[in-house]
Amino acid sequence: MTALLSVSDKSGIVEFAKGLLNLGYEILSTGGTLKVLQENNIQALDVAKYTQSPEMFDGRVKTLHPKIHGGILYRRENAEDRVKAQEFGIRDISLVCVNLYPFKATIERTEDFGEIIENIDIGGPSMVRAAAKNFESVLILTNPADYNEVLMRLQNNQNTLEFRQKMMIKAYEHTAHYDCTIANYMNKRFNDGFGESHFIAGKLVAPTRYGENPHQKGAYYEFKDFYSKTFQTLKGEVSFNNLTDINSAVKIASSFGKRPCVCIIKHANPCGFALKDTLIESYIQALKCDSISAFGGVVAVNGIVDLELAQEINKIFIEVLVAPQITQEALALFETKKKIKLFVCGGDYLEIPKDTQDFKHIEGGFVLQDSDSITENEVKNAKCVSKTQASESQIQDLEIAYKVASFVKSNCVVYVKNSAMVAVGMGMTSRVDAAKAAIKKAQEMGLDLRGCVLASEAFFPFKDSIEEAHKVGVSAIIEPGGSIRDEEVVECANTYGIALYFTGKRHFLH
């Protein structure tokens, strides 16, 4: 029995090789893997000696040889194949352990294109694909996490066809993900990220109980390692819908850096937000915006949840709480609430990967775009187009309202007063209807909008939204501008003494 070992990730390879030797395998190996094995007194045959063909071109060619691929690919049940293998002295390579050059790690570390090119593996994917193709006779491994199980199965005669089929699928996933990463990188480097093909490749983190509804299967995946390393479940089981809501909540809260804000989400839209001096004050003020919708919602806290804050949160039913840290005292208190789910995300503050591209599924395909974001000085550099100018505190409220509005389904408007959201209208077919809906909800909640500011993620097509804002005492407005009726809108703002700012950038969210 012959095993071929050639790995870039050398973790666990020494112990695995020892296990194979104890099972009676002879080992073929190459380059760095061979060196590690020899340094650990593990007997292995150099592939170059076996093939009688030296490594060439600084290692670009070393396993591309009939004695390697023939040993992997020949059909054991085919008499002619067996004769041919014997004729040319081709070993029966029944186990292949290969993982690939670290292309992904290289592009994250350097822009040196020469180094990047040299970290595109050729022989590795060829061996993996060959072994996977011949899975009926060959066991293929691409992940060190599988070494222990493989040794156990070999020791107990459990190297079944079903198991080899499972490993074959893993192998093709490995090479597919590798090729997708290379193709997407090259398109990013040479085609601004939009090539003839675009590939979406993720690693399974875990299945969810179901999808959006119980009759739908579901699971969640990650592009890098954010959810497997940075996102942790402390209590409960995360659902498909929890994940999408957590994503919305953390995106909003983390966009305010290290400031102690709290965001409350219901069905992917914010129903509460505040940025006060303390987290407990932020939570109390955020809840006031719409305590009815907050029931059963998702709360993102941009800081440590201590016992005092936990006691406040515990006063109503919150389905999901996510924060960078939750103290042991707070955890003990939450244990008394059976249905609350607790997650930590980030270090000292909430974090999110901030992908550079965004896509949405459409039937038969998907649409792809650069990810949207509000630049650091977008509000600061907004142009005052009215006679009245906003005060410093109003500018702070405008920044909060504008940032939150960029994460709210269009058409939307967001009202903020004293660093807390006091009304929100979202997902409406008419912007003035969004304004009216927000005002009506605020009135139902008993909130005083006088003196608040207003943000819209897109321009006001008519002055009617300004008129509605004036009725409830809005003092300042921020919007992109760009309507053919901008002059009419500005004139209306001047009539009512409202400070009006244009940013010049729209933030639709559909």
Side-chain angles (χ1 to χ4, degrees), residues 122-134:
I122 304 301
S126 298
M127 289 187 290
V128 171
R129 291 175 63 84
K133 178 174 181 174
N134 207 20

Side-chain angles (χ1 to χ4, degrees), residues 165-411:
Q165 178 180 291
K166 173 184 171 183
M167 300 304 286
M168 171 268 289
I169 294 170
K170 279 191 174 186
Y172 282 126
E173 288 174 343
H174 187 62
T175 56
H177 193 282
Y178 194 76
D179 286 339
C180 287
T181 302
I182 295 171
N184 284 348
Y185 169 79
M186 294 303 177
N187 271 323
K188 180 180 178 182
R189 186 162 187 132
F190 298 110
N191 291 320
D192 296 323
F194 297 88
E196 289 294 320
S197 295
H198 186 84
F199 303 96
I200 297 164
K203 294 180 293 182
L204 177 69
V205 180
T208 55
R209 282 183 64 191
Y210 48 78
E212 285 182 297
N213 301 289
H215 63 275
Q216 297 169 268
K217 289 184 179 180
Y220 66 111
Y221 295 76
E222 61 185 355
F223 294 136
K224 295 183 181 178
D225 57 9
F226 177 78
Y227 288 99
S228 57
K229 290 190 176 180
T230 309
F231 183 80
Q232 182 183 356
T233 301
L234 300 184
K235 183 177 182 292
E237 179 185 15
V238 70
S239 73
F240 186 100
N241 292 332
N242 289 158
L243 285 162
T244 57
D245 284 345
I246 288 170
N247 181 65
S248 297
V250 175
K251 281 176 75 172
I252 294 175
S254 64
S255 69
F256 291 88
K258 299 180 179 181
R259 290 184 278 181
C261 62
V262 171
C263 180
I264 305 174
I265 291 287
K266 191 65 171 289
H267 298 311
N269 273 309
C271 60
F273 178 89
L275 174 53
K276 308 297 280 187
D277 293 332
T278 65
L279 288 171
I280 191 166
E281 189 180 0
S282 291
Y283 173 74
I284 291 170
Q285 294 303 317
L287 189 61
K288 288 181 178 179
C289 180
D290 189 353
S291 58
I292 296 172
S293 295
F295 185 86
V298 172
V299 175
V301 176
N302 195 32
I304 299 172
V305 176
D306 58 15
L307 180 59
E308 182 185 14
L309 179 52
Q311 289 170 333
E312 193 65 36
I313 293 171
N314 234 14
K315 290 179 181 179
I316 69 166
F317 169 55
I318 294 295
E319 183 180 4
V320 172
L321 172 64
V322 58
Q325 297 179 48
I326 302 176
T327 67
Q328 289 300 315
E329 294 81 4
L331 280 172
L333 178 67
F334 286 129
E335 284 299 325
T336 63
K337 287 261 185 165
K338 290 185 178 180
K339 292 187 176 181
I340 193 170
K341 301 178 183 181
L342 306 175
F343 306 94
V344 291
C345 176
D348 295 328
Y349 305 94
L350 288 170
E351 297 175 17
I352 204 145
K354 296 184 179 178
D355 297 320
T356 57
Q357 287 186 312
D358 176 40
F359 67 92
K360 290 182 176 67
H361 169 247
I362 56 175
E363 292 299 322
F366 59 92
V367 288
L368 180 73
Q369 63 178 349
D370 293 331
S371 295
D372 188 30
S373 64
I374 291 179
T375 57
E376 185 177 351
N377 294 318
E378 196 166 325
V379 175
K380 181 180 177 181
N381 295 335
K383 181 181 180 182
C384 182
V385 293
S386 59
K387 295 177 182 177
T388 303
Q389 292 192 341
S391 65
E392 186 176 338
S393 63
Q394 287 173 328
I395 290 291
Q396 292 176 355
D397 282 353
L398 286 171
E399 179 194 4
I400 293 171
Y402 189 66
K403 280 188 175 181
V404 173
S406 72
F407 295 106
V408 179
K409 293 289 186 181
S410 303
N411 288 319

